[in-house]
Every structure is written in C-alpha cells, then in structure tokens.
Amino acid sequence: MCDGWSGGERAAAKGRAEQDAPAYLAAETARLNEVRQQLAAEAEQWWQALISNVADVVHLQTVDDFPRWKKEGVLQKYKPVGWNKIFDQIKDKDGYYTGLFFFAFSNVTATRLGDDAPVEAKDFLKPEFKNKLVFTYPNDDDAVLYYFKQLTDKYGFDYLKKLLAQNPTFVRGTQDSADLVGSGDYVASFGTSGGVPGAAETTLPKKSPWVAWPQTGAILKDAPHKAAAKLYLSWLLSKDAQQNSIDTWSARTDVAAPAGRKGIFGYENMNPLGLGEFMSNRTALDRYKARINLYVGDVKGVNPSDPQGVLGLYPVNQDGTQG
C-alpha cells in the first residue's frame, strides 16, 4: 500500500495518474524482483568460481554465508585447538565455522582536531565540519550499510538528511575513507577504522551506535591442503596469536580486550552479533539499501579491492591464469 499527495492544476491529469500508478508499481516490482534474482544468480556463480579456484580456508565479513554453506555441504568440519575457549555466540556448535577475531567500524578523526573531534553521531552535524567529512558508500559495503541503518533507526532519516547537507564526500572502500582523514580538508569519518598513523585516530562513540562483528572462517570441504588449513586455524585461534598478532578483540574468552576497551560484549550501544542478523535478512537489507541509494546516489569509482578488474566471477590466480 502506498499513500501519496500530488500537486497539479488539472483534475484529468490526477485521474490519469491514479489509473496508471498500479500498472507502474506492478511493473517496477517485477523489474526489481528480476534484478534481485539476477544478483542472487551472480552471487552463486561467484561462490562456485571461488571454490573451484581451490582455496583452502575462507574468512570473510559475510557472516551470513557460513550457515548456508554448511547446509550445502561445502565446508569441512573442524574444531581448532582451544575450541572450548572460543565465544559460544560466534562458533558453529557442530564445528563447521567459527569467528576468528572481531573487526570494528567506528569514528576516524584527524589528530589535529584534538578535543574538538566529533565523537557522537550528532557531532558530525556541526557547521565546522561542512565539506570536511568523508564516508564509504553505505550501498557498497554491508557493514557500513548496517552502521547507517542503526543511525537512521535511532535518529530517523532526518539525521541522514542533515548529514548529507554537510556535503560529505563518498568513496569506495573503508580503507580509502579512513586514509583520507587528516589529509587535505578531510577531518572525520565514521563507519570505518584505522587511518594514517599520526594523522588520524580511532574513537568509539559512548552513546551512538557503532559496528563490530566476528570475522568468520572455515575450511572448504574440497581444500587441497587440509592439514595446513587446520594448522592455520589452530594457530590463528591460539592464545598466543590472539594476544599478539590480531591487534583487535579476540575470539577467545581468556584473552583480554585491547587496552582501554571493554570486552566485546560489554557495550550497550553495540551488538557484535547485529551485523550477522542484519545480513541474514536479505530482503530487508536490499530494501534498506535501495532507500539509502535514493539519498547518496549510485556508487561511483573503481573498486579498490580490484582496481584492475581481475576478480569478478573467474578470478586470476597468482600465476596469472584464469580460475
């Protein structure tokens, strides 16, 4: 159902619009369904190309994929050494996949701002930050999309309108948005992490929502080097590696949070399982992405993960041959 207000001078034009609208909506719905089916088919082709490229281990942001891959029978069951120390919330009870560590997206601000740096979402609306903000396209990265979803859920789409009135720059890739902070006129971003050491720093909002998730991994059932894959996962999830090699929140219950941070499940304004829940409902995600697209526009620019266009459905191997 759609209610609408229309302006115009002619009653006949209004009547014609009322007659044409149902047919238009039906056609547009059919078109969107067709596009969605095509994207789903392409995603499945990409996955088939990935597994045919004979990888051993995958660890990805797309945490919603792993339960489906388990059902499809393409994952190898394996519980790494120290399995009982991994948070129960982020591992498959049968041992087909597990969170490996936590990634987080929050604020990245220029060090030169000092105490004037924005921390809460509404701080980014201050007039002094107009033309000085840079973000990753939310319609190009599901974790960034979820960040924006939380903000519009909490503050409404009026917040997004005000943010866009700041005339921010949108780029592809979360690393690109972080790296631009502190260079030129760009002084702040959110929905990203890192930044150039010395030029930018990361902060966590105390009240506004932010995002963290368990980067999840598994061994493929047809992995050609299963023994090495098992050693790799056991090393990565070892207490020593989790303490000294990941530089973020650990997947283990017996490893302390990074200095100055709470435990990953200790933040009232961040749910580390929320991204997975958001990504699992693809219909709702696609609906929100389409709405966001109306505000920020189509994604533009080269994909920083594949600037030469060698990935796609049939990635190029390290030896230069097509997979």
Side-chain angles (χ1 to χ4, degrees):
M1 178 179 177
C2 177
D3 293 324
W5 290 82
S6 64
E9 299 176 355
R10 298 185 183 181
K14 180 181 177 182
R16 179 65 178 273
E18 291 173 345
Q19 292 176 357
D20 291 347
Y24 170 79
L25 289 173
E28 187 67 6
T29 299
R31 184 187 71 80
L32 290 174
N33 285 336
E34 183 179 348
V35 170
R36 185 180 175 207
Q37 290 172 4
Q38 180 180 354
L39 290 174
E42 290 179 355
E44 182 61 24
Q45 288 177 331
W46 177 87
W47 168 245
Q48 293 300 328
L50 175 64
I51 61 177
S52 67
N53 219 25
V54 217
D56 293 304
V57 177
V58 290
H59 42 85
L60 304 166
Q61 173 183 304
T62 55
V63 293
D64 59 308
D65 282 329
F66 290 87
R68 175 170 61 85
W69 292 340
K70 175 187 174 182
K71 290 180 181 179
E72 293 174 352
V74 298
L75 301 181
Q76 174 67 45
K77 182 177 181 179
Y78 175 63
K79 295 182 178 181
V81 176
W83 180 260
N84 64 322
K85 296 295 184 180
I86 300 171
F87 285 105
D88 289 337
Q89 302 97 312
I90 65 171
K91 64 185 178 184
D92 174 51
K93 62 182 180 64
D94 297 317
Y96 283 94
Y97 56 87
T98 180
L100 303 174
F101 44 80
F102 289 88
F103 273 153
F105 284 168
S106 55
N107 304 322
V108 174
T109 56
T111 53
R112 66 175 184 261
L113 291 179
D115 293 338
D116 295 325
V119 176
E120 304 301 334
K122 292 185 177 180
D123 294 339
F124 287 77
L125 304 182
K126 293 179 178 179
E128 58 263 37
F129 298 132
K130 187 165 187 176
N131 301 316
K132 297 180 180 181
L133 303 176
V134 56
F135 301 110
T136 301
Y137 280 105
N139 42 341
D140 197 36
D141 185 299
D142 284 349
V144 182
L145 186 69
Y146 178 55
Y147 203 110
F148 275 73
K149 177 67 163 58
Q150 292 186 107
L151 293 179
T152 56
D153 282 350
K154 186 175 179 66
Y155 304 117
F157 271 84
D158 187 56
Y159 172 81
L160 180 57
K161 294 176 183 177
K162 292 178 181 178
L163 185 68
L164 294 177
Q166 294 285 69
N167 194 33
T169 295
F170 285 94
V171 298
R172 299 195 70 180
T174 53
Q175 190 64 55
D176 285 39
S177 58
D179 287 349
L180 285 169
V181 173
S183 67
D185 293 330
Y186 297 121
V187 297
S189 181
F190 60 62
T192 185
S193 63
V196 177
E201 59 185 3
T202 298
T203 60
L204 303 180
K206 295 181 179 180
K207 299 178 181 179
S208 305
W210 51 287
V211 177
W213 69 93
Q215 193 80 348
T216 301
I219 299 172
L220 297 177
K221 187 175 182 180
D222 294 331
H225 312 104
K226 287 183 180 178
K230 291 176 179 179
L231 285 172
Y232 169 71
L233 287 187
S234 286
W235 166 78
L236 185 56
L237 286 164
S238 68
K239 189 172 183 178
D240 180 69
Q242 294 278 305
Q243 287 178 324
N244 301 307
S245 300
I246 61 172
D247 196 29
T248 184
W249 283 273
S250 172
R252 294 178 61 114
T253 60
D254 59 348
V255 174
R261 305 300 194 203
K262 298 179 183 179
I264 193 66
F265 289 97
Y267 292 92
E268 294 183 0
N269 57 332
M270 188 280 296
N271 175 11
L273 306 180
L275 177 62
E277 295 166 359
F278 174 69
M279 294 179 69
S280 295
N281 189 340
R282 300 308 299 184
T283 299
L285 185 153
D286 290 342
R287 185 185 304 117
Y288 183 75
K289 182 184 291 187
R291 187 174 183 184
I292 281 289
N293 202 82
L294 296 175
Y295 287 87
V296 305
D298 293 334
V299 175
K300 299 177 182 178
V302 174
N303 182 352
S305 298
D306 185 24
Q308 303 301 320
V310 298
L311 296 178
L313 296 180
Y314 301 100
V316 174
N317 294 326
Q318 292 182 349
D319 61 7
T321 60
Q322 199 79 20

